[in-house]
Amino acid sequence: MDNSVQRILEDRFDEREVKQRQGSFGKTLSYLEGHSVIRRLNEAFNRDWGFIILHREFNELADQVIVHGRITVGDVVKDAVGSVKVKRHKE
């Protein structure tokens, strides 16, 4: 990987971009919103990258959403699967 690309990817995000939310068991989780990550990837790869959702499903028994996604940069392809429990509000 080019040193300038690596430097861009490893640079810390501005503290205003790091958001927080309540997680399970009373833990506070830090996260980045999608637009912050997209901006960083566009800067590092000159907009030459892509992301697609290959599969998504709702597991009613576990009350969770499961997503299989793929990111592609040049000829490098990485897949990942993630899930999240559905939060329901009375209103």
Side-chain angles (χ1 to χ4, degrees):
M1 178 182 326
D2 179 303
N3 283 343
S4 62
V5 170
Q6 185 172 350
R7 190 170 48 254
I8 291 168
L9 293 174
E10 291 178 349
D11 193 21
R12 293 184 67 82
F13 282 86
D14 185 294
E15 65 184 36
R16 293 171 295 188
E17 293 180 282
V18 180
K19 308 296 182 185
Q20 294 188 326
R21 68 175 178 84
Q22 280 302 115
S24 301
F25 308 106
K27 293 183 179 180
T28 300
L29 305 175
S30 297
Y31 69 96
L32 296 165
E33 294 179 321
H35 63 88
S36 295
V37 176
I38 289 168
R39 184 173 35 251
R40 177 69 56 90
L41 291 170
N42 284 341
E43 181 183 357
F45 300 113
N46 198 28
R47 301 189 187 306
D48 188 20
W49 65 277
F51 175 82
I52 59 171
I53 294 174
L54 299 169
H55 179 76
R56 66 177 177 264
E57 70 180 76
F58 175 65
N59 181 325
E60 288 187 52
L61 195 57
D63 206 24
Q64 69 180 179
V65 176
I66 303 164
V67 176
H68 175 193
R70 174 176 290 159
I71 188 167
T72 305
V73 178
D75 61 352
V76 177
V77 178
K78 299 289 183 179
D79 285 19
V81 176
S83 66
V84 66
K85 184 138 179 86
V86 174
K87 292 183 181 180
R88 302 192 187 276
H89 300 280
K90 290 184 181 185
E91 62 277 351

